[in-house]
Amino acid sequence: MSDDWLYNVSITPLSVLAQGAGLVLDFSRIRENIPFILQGVPVTLSFSIVSALFGFTWGTVLSIFKISNILPLKLLADLYTSIFRGTPLILQLALIYFATPQLTGITPTPFQAAVVTFSLNSAAYSSETIRGGIMAVDRGQREAAMTLGVKYPTMMWDIVLPQAFKNILPALVNESIALLKDSALVSTVGALDLMRRGQVVAAEKFIFFEPLMIVAVIYYVLVMGLTFVAQQLERRMRKSD
Amino acid sequence: MIRTEFLCKSFGNLKVLNDISTEIRKGEVVAILGPSGCGKSTLLRCLNLLETPTRGRVYINDVEITNPKTDVNKVRQNMGMVFQHFNLFPHMTVLQNVTYGPIKVKQMPKGQAQELGMAQLHVVGLDEKADVYPSRLSGGQKQRVAIARALAMQPGVMLFDEPTSALDPEMVKEVLAVMKGLVNSGMTMAIVTHEMGFAREVADRILFLEGGGIAEDAPPSVFFTAPKSERAQQFLEKVL
Ligand SMILES: Nc1ncnc2c1ncn2[C@@H]1O[C@H](COP(=O)(O)OP(=O)(O)OP(=O)(O)O)[C@@H](O)[C@H]1O
Ligand SMILES: [Mg+2]
């Protein structure tokens, strides 16, 4: 059985764009590079998952600062959010990757620098989502816990946050999807993620369309997978309401 | 048991409570009545500091809880509260709702808490619903679970804020029956209610709230037959 059809796709209509020359996509030329590209999947995924976990955890802490009545904490969290939302992600990444050694003498790996940047960044965004989720939990829930004599942190952990996260789960999955796509930026500091691997193959073989197409398809499949998960979660939650 | 001295509460410019000084003695059942918006809920919620009084003092067993040094959580353990909208924890089963306070606040061993919880569920007649989630219960059942949850903390006083107002008429009875059982057991109770018949039957005293103050403080026999204030007369004309 041959799966040559996978590698040899001839797209005639596009030939017009290729200035009259017949544009022929020849995936067989990078067939040997496909395993190399595929190894980027666990890199991109683990990167996204670790960043999301750290980001949502730190985001939860920030959201609790935001709803606290301790003014300095509130201001700090608001300032933090506005800085990370008000500057380009790629700039934040460059700062953390290139400036950390200069400031601290510690040289992070591209992966480490990227995880730190993306965690800090997604915390800024998710803290707003989580804050909204907390505010949406009925005030009576808090009052019921308070009248039992439950201390604030316990009440937050046992009563408020579980309900808040249940409500915003689809939103958090969407943020994870954004994170997964944005993770392609780590290629700019040299981490060998999916995107970077596509570029490496392209540079090696002097062909661009095929490796980048493959990478695009992989991203698309990953994002669609997450989207499907989000839809299922949303459907199940609507049922339980 | 509970004493307020010149208790005042404002929301911004809105003065809701004005110099409320009263007392609820141990074992006493006090019904708080009054027109909508007169501050009944606010008064009740000031007693366990769900609302912070603007001025004045509240004493529970001679401890001033309005003193910032008082550990409010400690005081609240001794004061059960039942809300109009039940406020059960939806992500916990009925038994988990009831045992949550004893386990988390009193550090009671789980087994012992479950025994206690089942006993409280038995009191409100819901033993067989222990492992069900609140969303599966009727309104009346939810409110009975809420009462069991409060009782599981073994409080010295119970506060009720319109416990039957959100219920269909046929469910009001079952909740009132549970409350009557509590009255008979000698529980100290403060009840905000629109159930005049019930207030008349179980209360030792009626507090009639009007215009931010106590317009009438009398036993039900007096309040319902010969109210002194004109406001109370008008109120009774409307509701009876
Ligand atoms: N958190 C709040 N912020 C602002 N105003 C409030 C707040 N809580 C209550 N009020 C106002 O205080 C007044 C008294 O409210 P309260 O809930 O104590 O009345 P109530 O006697 O319990 O009425 P009802 O019979 O309708 O429950 C009302 O005018 C209400 O709008
Ligand atoms: Mg009220």
Side-chain angles (χ1 to χ4, degrees), chain A residues 139, chain B residues 11 14 16 35-43 51 162 194:
Chain A
R139 197 169 62 127
Chain B
F11 294 106
L14 179 69
V16 177
S36 184
C38 70
K40 304 180 295 293
S41 299
T42 306
L43 172 58
E51 302 287 357
E162 301 197 27
H194 290 297

Side-chain angles (χ1 to χ4, degrees), chain A residues 140-141 143 146-147 158, chain B residues 45 76 88-89 91 100 104:
Chain A
Q141 291 290 310
E143 292 181 347
M146 282 160 77
T147 51
D158 288 343
Chain B
R45 292 158 59 83
R76 283 183 183 143
L88 294 179
F89 306 132
H91 57 303
Y100 178 73
K104 277 299 161 98

Side-chain angles (χ1 to χ4, degrees), chain A residues 59-187:
Chain A
T60 305
V61 175
L62 285 172
S63 69
I64 287 173
F65 285 0
K66 286 179 183 177
I67 59 163
S68 80
N69 40 24
I70 305 166
L71 194 63
L73 288 185
K74 227 172 166 157
L75 292 178
L76 182 83
D78 285 340
L79 181 69
Y80 177 96
T81 303
S82 82
I83 288 174
F84 274 91
R85 296 215 293 193
T87 54
L89 179 54
I90 193 165
L91 175 76
Q92 295 162 16
L93 179 60
L95 270 176
I96 287 177
Y97 183 58
F98 296 112
T100 304
Q102 192 184 330
L103 291 178
T104 65
I106 303 164
T107 309
T109 66
F111 187 88
Q112 287 165 346
V115 164
V116 169
T117 312
F118 278 67
S119 300
L120 294 178
N121 185 276
S122 81
Y125 284 90
S126 63
S127 69
E128 280 299 301
T129 312
I130 297 166
R131 190 184 69 93
I134 291 174
M135 303 301 277
V137 174
D138 182 30
R139 197 169 62 127
Q141 291 290 310
R142 235 161 293 184
E143 292 181 347
M146 282 160 77
T147 51
L148 292 173
V150 180
K151 292 199 174 75
Y152 184 85
T154 317
M155 172 196 80
M156 272 306 194
W157 186 254
D158 288 343
I159 307 295
V160 177
L161 286 178
Q163 296 183 56
F165 272 95
K166 183 177 176 245
N167 291 335
I168 60 172
L169 206 51
L172 288 183
V173 175
N174 282 333
E175 296 209 23
S176 309
I177 290 173
L179 197 63
L180 177 69
K181 286 188 290 180
D182 289 345
S183 77
L185 284 177
V186 305
S187 60

Side-chain angles (χ1 to χ4, degrees), chain A residues 21-39:
Chain A
L23 174 73
V24 177
L25 294 181
D26 186 0
F27 284 94
S28 66
R29 284 165 67 201
I30 57 155
R31 190 182 212 152
E32 56 179 4
N33 302 103
I34 288 190
F36 174 75
I37 293 178
L38 282 176
Q39 279 161 26

